[in-house]
Amino acid sequence: MEAGAIVMAAGAGRRMGWQPKSLLRRDGEPLLLRQLRLLHEAGVQHRVVVLGHHAGPLNAALQAAGPPFASVARAVNPAPDAGPGGSLRCGLAALPAGLDEVLVVLGDQPLLQLQDLQAMRAAWRSRDAEVELAVPWHDGQPGHPVVFGPALRAALEQGEAGTGLREWRRAHPQQVLAVPLAHARCTTDVDTPEDLLRLQQKHGVLLQQSA
């Protein structure tokens, strides 16, 4: 199955001191490059990074990383504060038509592993016919990556500016596959310095500012 992925990295990082969170480094690797590497290892052929507030430094990081990161498609959301739905539509517009599945990953998820992407792709492929969206679920919380196909893609592309996956999921619960997980890797992102401290204390993962 031909797959594409959108990495959401358009935010301002206000609660992180206006820093680009996806350039925080885990084991020396910026989270943005880590997400793209994991997607590549998971067999996702088409990848798009959605940029916004920190487009300059994120573009620079991709270029400096060389192949295959420098050639990853990029889309710039001109209104990144209008909500994730707009960023999602920018990413969808940059993906090729006719994909069997689309994954959406957050640029600030520090715990994702290859097996998480593989598990979500497998859940999507084995879904019931009425399912249009697969969502990882842990401890009562939805997470990312989510996976959907052509029908939901078309609906999202035609959606209003303020609407996105969250609104669609809440409006169509019978068409959502919640994939239960025994770990918090898909439901953990970082928004504040306190999140960084909790990440280190609970999971032993230290994120450092980009050089």
Side-chain angles (χ1 to χ4, degrees):
M1 297 181 74
E2 192 169 8
I6 299 169
V7 180
M8 304 279 271
R14 290 178 180 83
R15 291 186 287 166
M16 197 67 76
W18 300 90
Q19 299 296 313
K21 296 182 295 180
S22 56
L23 290 186
L24 291 168
R25 293 175 177 264
R26 177 177 175 175
D27 301 324
E29 182 181 31
L31 292 181
L32 177 62
L33 301 187
R34 188 173 188 274
Q35 314 300 56
L36 291 169
R37 174 177 59 80
L38 292 174
L39 287 164
H40 176 73
E41 293 172 358
V44 178
Q45 299 96 327
H46 307 280
R47 296 164 293 164
V48 174
V49 177
V50 180
L51 306 172
H53 281 282
H54 299 288
L58 292 176
N59 265 320
L62 289 167
Q63 287 301 125
F69 302 108
S71 61
V72 167
R74 294 151 220 188
V76 177
N77 181 359
D81 293 329
S87 289
L88 179 62
R89 274 182 283 279
C90 287
L92 290 172
L95 284 174
L99 297 177
D100 299 296
E101 59 192 59
V102 176
L103 293 82
V104 180
V105 179
L106 305 183
D108 61 347
Q109 289 184 277
L111 299 180
L112 278 186
Q113 299 290 348
L114 174 59
Q115 59 262 40
D116 303 323
L117 299 173
Q118 293 170 328
M120 290 307 301
R121 293 195 69 189
W124 173 254
R125 289 193 296 269
S126 62
R127 71 194 186 281
D128 291 337
E130 72 275 9
V131 169
E132 297 291 350
L133 174 67
V135 181
W137 212 274
H138 174 71
D139 197 23
Q141 296 295 322
H144 287 78
V146 301
V147 191
F148 54 88
L152 181 49
R153 176 180 179 173
L156 292 167
E157 288 175 331
Q158 298 164 11
E160 298 179 358
T163 63
L165 275 171
R166 180 184 302 174
E167 291 78 13
W168 190 94
R169 173 172 57 81
R170 290 174 174 171
H172 303 85
Q174 73 282 1
Q175 294 176 276
V176 177
L177 171 64
V179 182
L181 302 175
H183 56 76
R185 293 194 297 266
C186 291
T187 54
T188 300
D189 58 7
V190 289
D191 292 316
T192 67
E194 290 75 19
D195 289 340
L196 299 182
L197 181 60
R198 279 192 293 270
L199 187 72
Q200 185 176 5
Q201 292 175 338
K202 186 173 182 179
H203 299 284
V205 172
L206 174 65
L207 296 185
Q208 298 176 311
Q209 297 287 345
S210 57

